[in-house]
Amino acid sequence: AGLKQGDLVDAVDDMNFNQLSLLAVADRVAQRDPASVVLTLRSGAERVRQVTLERLRQAKPQNQVDSGVVTNSLGHKVGFMRLRSFGARSALEISDALPKLRKE
């Protein structure tokens, strides 16, 4: 069967995640691009099983971070970022947007 409450994810596509946080696991899974992922799960009395999950794809991934620079009347520049929604890739998108914002 699929995922069950209380399951622990040990690995995703043979990448071991025993020592990583939930956010780190979600971030790494989101970075990958296969149509499916294989989860190695542990439940109950250390019973290990593998489950394959199909991944739904959007036609075009949406950027969740908007950024820009505004200049006040004194010529001072202020940079801003807006996170439209929070998800597994939010940290990566903010990290990508920050250097671009600094260049403006």
Side-chain angles (χ1 to χ4, degrees):
L3 296 171
K4 298 176 184 170
Q5 184 174 352
D7 284 345
L8 300 174
V9 178
D10 282 340
V12 177
D13 289 337
D14 294 325
M15 286 191 299
N16 194 318
F17 291 119
N18 286 335
Q19 302 301 317
L20 297 177
S21 70
L22 175 62
L23 288 176
V25 172
D27 225 23
R28 291 194 184 180
V29 170
Q31 290 175 26
R32 305 193 45 125
D33 200 34
S36 64
V37 293
V38 177
L39 302 179
T40 301
L41 304 171
R42 189 167 27 99
S43 61
E46 301 295 318
R47 196 181 106 220
V48 177
R49 70 185 193 285
Q50 290 191 327
V51 174
T52 301
L53 298 178
E54 299 300 319
R55 298 177 63 164
L56 298 175
R57 292 282 177 228
Q58 294 178 347
K60 179 182 175 191
Q62 293 183 333
N63 187 358
Q64 298 301 319
V65 177
D66 294 325
S67 63
V69 174
V70 293
T71 305
N72 69 11
S73 60
L74 300 174
H76 296 112
K77 293 182 177 182
V78 176
F80 69 90
M81 278 197 235
R82 180 179 76 144
L83 184 60
R84 283 191 259 148
S85 67
F86 186 80
R89 295 189 55 84
S90 296
L92 290 174
E93 290 183 13
I94 290 171
S95 294
D96 288 345
L98 190 56
K100 294 173 189 172
L101 183 60
R102 286 184 172 150
K103 288 180 184 178
E104 289 187 37

